[in-house]
Amino acid sequence: MTHPRESHLRKLPKVDRVLEHPRLTELGLRHELTRRVVVDAIAAERARVLAALAQDREPDPPVAELEALSERVRAQLERWLSVHPRPVLNGTGVLLHTNLGRAPLSEPARAAVVGAAGTCDLELDLSTGKRGSRLALLRPLLAALFEAEDALVVNNGAAALLLACTALGRGGVVLSRGQHVEIGDSFRVAEMAAAGGAPLTAVGSTNRSHMRDYEAALDGLANVEAALLWVHQSNFTQAGFVGEVPLAKLAALARGRDVALIADLGSGSLGLGIPTGEPTVAAYLEQGATLVTFSGDKLLGGPQAGILAGSAAAIHRCRRHPLARALRCGKLALAALHATVIAHAQASAPGLPLHNMIAVGVDQLRARGLRLCEALGWPSSCVRDSRATIGGGSLPGQELASVALVAPAKAHAAAMILRAGEPPLIGRAHDNELWIDLRTLDSIDDDTLLACLRRLGSTVT
Ligand SMILES: *Cc1c(COP(=O)(O)O)cnc(C)c1O
C-alpha cells in the first residue's frame, strides 16, 4: 500500500509534461522563461500539499494536475507579459499619488516623450554638427525661471540630494534631528544624503535645534569639507514646543564658515497656481541656500526627475562629480521635463494637468457630480463634499475642498470591481464607503468614468 503522501504527490505532473502542453507551447515563448514558471508552480503546489498533509488534512482544493497547473502557469505568464504600467483613473483625491505615477503629464509633454523615443538630437548640436549637451536648453531655462545662477537635472529628487551631499559635503553633512524626514517606502532622507559616503552629523533634538548646535557641529568638522543640510518637512507638521533655526540664519552661518548650505525642498514650486504655504525654490535661494534640490514630478507637474538649482560653483562641482554620470536623466524624461518647463515659462498659470486639478472650483465639481449621478441613475445623495490633498510630500495638512461620488455598494466589493475594470478606477475607502473624488479626475474622461461606474451599478445594488 502506498503512503497517502506519495499518492498525492504522484498526481503532480512532471515539468516536461506541463512544458509540452499546447496551452503553453502556443504562446511561443522562450523555453527558459516558461520552464521557470512551471518549476515554481509545481514547487508551490507541492509545498501546499505537504503543508496540508502535515496537519493530517486532505489538500483542499485537491492536488492540481496537468490541466489545472498548465492553466495556472499560462495565467502567470500572461500577467508578466501584459502592459505595465498601464493607465488608471485616479479617484483617490490625492493629486500627486506616488503609487499612481505622481503628476500626470500635459499633452505637449506626452508628445515630446513620443518624439524623443526614436533617434533624436539629445547630445548633438545641430547648428555645428558637434557634440552638444543634453541640458543645452533646459539648463539656462531652469536657471532663469528659478532665479538661480545655474541648474542641473538628474534621475529624481533623491538622486539630486545624494549628488549634492556627496559633491559638497565630503567631510560631513550637518542635519537637525527635527528634519530627519522619512519619505515613502521607509526611505530616510538622512540615510540617502549619506549614501555617497558623506558622514552625517545629527544636531539638536526632535522638537528643537539651536544655532549653537550647528556651530558646535561645524567646530567638530573644522578643516574638512562640510555642508549644512536643510530638509523641508514636506510630509508632516510639528506643533507645540518646537523650533528650528530659520534657513536665512543658517545661510549666514554657512557663509561665515565657508561651507555650503544644501536645501532639500522635495517639491519644487514656482509659486504660480499653487496654494500658499509651500516655500518656492527662489525663496530658498533668496534666503541664502547654496543649492536647492527638488523633484520634477511633484508641484512642478512634470516627469520623474531631480533638479538642482543654485550657485554656479556648487552646480559645477556637482556636474563634474562621477555620480552625476551615474544619476543622469534619460531622454524620455528630459523631453517631458522640457515641455513642462516651457508651460511654466508662460506668464499666466501654467495650465498643466496638476494646476488644473488645483484650480477647478468646488461648485463646478458639484455640478459635475450631479450630472454624473443623474447619468448613472444614482440618487443625488451620492454626491458628497470631500477633501482632496496634494500628496507626494507637498503641503502636509493642507486640504482642498472637493466633491466625491459615493458608490452605492460596500467599499471593499466596489473597490475590487472598479480595479478590475478597463481602465481601472481607483477610489478612496472612507467609513466602509468607496469615495470617487472628482478633483483628481479630468472631466475630459467623464464618459470613461461613467462606463467604469456603470459596472458597479449593474453588478452590485
Ligand atoms: C519627495 C522627497 C524626496 C525624494 O524625491 P523623489 O523625486 O521621490 O526621489 C526627497 N526629499 C524630500 C523632502 C521629499 O519630499
Side-chain angles (χ1 to χ4, degrees):
M1 206 189 92
T2 45
H3 193 274
R5 183 185 128 106
E6 296 309 320
S7 74
H8 276 106
L9 290 181
R10 224 179 312 115
K11 290 188 193 147
L12 281 172
K14 294 271 174 290
V15 171
D16 284 341
R17 288 212 45 223
V18 186
L19 275 173
E20 283 157 15
H21 196 288
R23 193 177 277 128
L24 298 183
T25 55
E26 75 188 16
L27 291 174
L29 296 173
R30 295 177 69 109
H31 188 73
E32 306 85 314
L33 171 60
T34 312
R35 188 178 172 85
R36 163 74 67 87
V37 181
V38 169
V39 168
D40 288 354
I42 293 176
E45 186 61 5
R46 170 186 287 270
R48 184 182 73 84
V49 170
L50 289 177
L53 295 176
Q55 297 173 9
D56 281 330
R57 295 186 281 111
E58 286 290 303
D60 178 30
V63 183
E65 300 187 38
L66 180 62
E67 289 304 317
L69 260 172
S70 62
E71 185 56 51
R72 195 176 294 172
V73 169
R74 179 169 173 135
Q76 169 73 279
L77 285 165
E78 282 177 342
R79 216 165 28 246
W80 279 7
L81 298 175
S82 60
V83 173
H84 179 88
R86 68 185 168 114
V88 304
L89 293 179
N90 175 11
T92 62
V94 180
L95 277 62
L96 295 169
H97 200 303
T98 298
N99 299 0
L100 302 182
R102 290 201 186 147
L105 295 181
S106 64
E107 287 305 328
R110 291 170 197 228
V113 171
V114 173
T119 46
C120 60
D121 64 345
L122 181 65
E123 291 191 353
L124 177 72
D125 183 337
L126 288 171
S127 64
T128 62
K130 296 216 166 70
R131 177 172 187 161
S133 155
R134 63 179 59 208
L135 295 178
L137 308 182
L138 196 48
R139 181 179 167 188
L141 189 53
L142 282 171
L145 280 173
F146 286 108
E147 301 172 59
E149 286 175 15
D150 203 353
L152 181 61
V153 181
V154 289
N155 182 63
N156 61 1
L161 172 72
L162 169 65
L163 177 58
C165 292
T166 312
L168 304 177
R170 223 163 14 127
V173 172
V174 181
L175 176 64
S176 161
R177 289 197 170 83
Q179 297 176 13
H180 276 52
V181 179
E182 179 168 304
I183 55 173
D185 201 16
S186 60
F187 283 102
R188 292 172 174 164
V189 167
E191 290 167 3
M192 297 186 306
L200 199 105
T201 303
V203 297
S205 57
T206 308
N207 56 327
R208 290 174 74 84
S209 296
H210 303 277
M211 188 54 111
R212 60 176 184 275
D213 298 322
Y214 286 94
E215 287 169 344
L218 285 180
D219 290 344
L221 293 171
N223 309 321
V224 297
E225 193 173 20
L228 300 181
L229 175 60
W230 169 280
V231 177
H232 177 49
Q233 297 178 338
S234 59
N235 55 5
F236 71 105
T237 53
Q238 277 186 320
F241 188 52
V242 296
E244 291 280 357
V245 180
L247 188 67
K249 291 242 167 73
L250 283 188
L253 174 65
R255 268 195 309 279
R257 301 290 189 108
D258 198 23
V259 301
L261 171 58
I262 301 164
D264 175 20
L265 178 50
S267 196
S269 165
L270 273 155
L272 272 184
I274 300 290
T276 50
E278 188 76 359
T280 63
V281 178
Y284 266 22
L285 290 172
E286 163 107 23
Q287 287 169 56
T290 315
L291 207 61
V292 182
T293 66
F294 53 97
S295 303
D297 53 358
K298 293 184 181 173
L299 288 180
L300 199 61
Q304 178 187 310
I307 299 166
L308 302 97
S311 85
I315 291 288
H316 179 78
R317 298 269 302 280
C318 292
R319 180 181 299 111
R320 298 318 310 166
H321 193 281
L323 266 183
R325 180 63 172 75
L327 302 174
R328 77 178 180 187
C329 194
K331 65 177 182 176
L332 301 182
L334 281 177
L337 183 61
H338 198 169
T340 304
V341 171
I342 287 171
H344 281 284
Q346 309 303 317
S348 54
L352 293 166
L354 173 71
H355 297 84
N356 294 339
M357 280 193 240
I358 292 173
V360 64
V362 74
D363 291 339
Q364 222 173 321
L365 290 176
R366 194 169 294 114
R368 192 175 144 214
L370 287 167
R371 267 199 315 276
L372 288 164
C373 253
E374 195 178 352
L376 287 162
W378 291 4
S380 58
S381 59
C382 290
V383 181
R384 307 262 186 91
D385 287 340
S386 165
R387 313 291 301 171
T389 56
I390 306 264
S394 318
L395 303 161
Q398 272 205 39
E399 296 183 326
L400 301 168
S402 188
V403 170
L405 295 184
V406 178
K410 288 262 185 284
H412 184 72
M416 236 165 63
I417 291 163
L418 295 178
R419 275 202 315 275
E422 181 51 53
L425 167 60
I426 315 296
R428 177 177 82 234
H430 184 72
D431 287 344
N432 203 25
E433 289 179 323
L434 189 73
W435 288 46
I436 312 295
D437 198 298
L438 295 179
R439 188 173 284 284
T440 44
L441 290 159
D442 194 330
S443 58
I444 232 164
D445 295 324
D446 274 356
D447 286 342
T448 316
L449 177 62
L450 281 174
C452 291
L453 292 173
R454 283 206 178 95
R455 284 169 51 86
L456 218 49
S458 55
T459 331
V460 188
T461 39

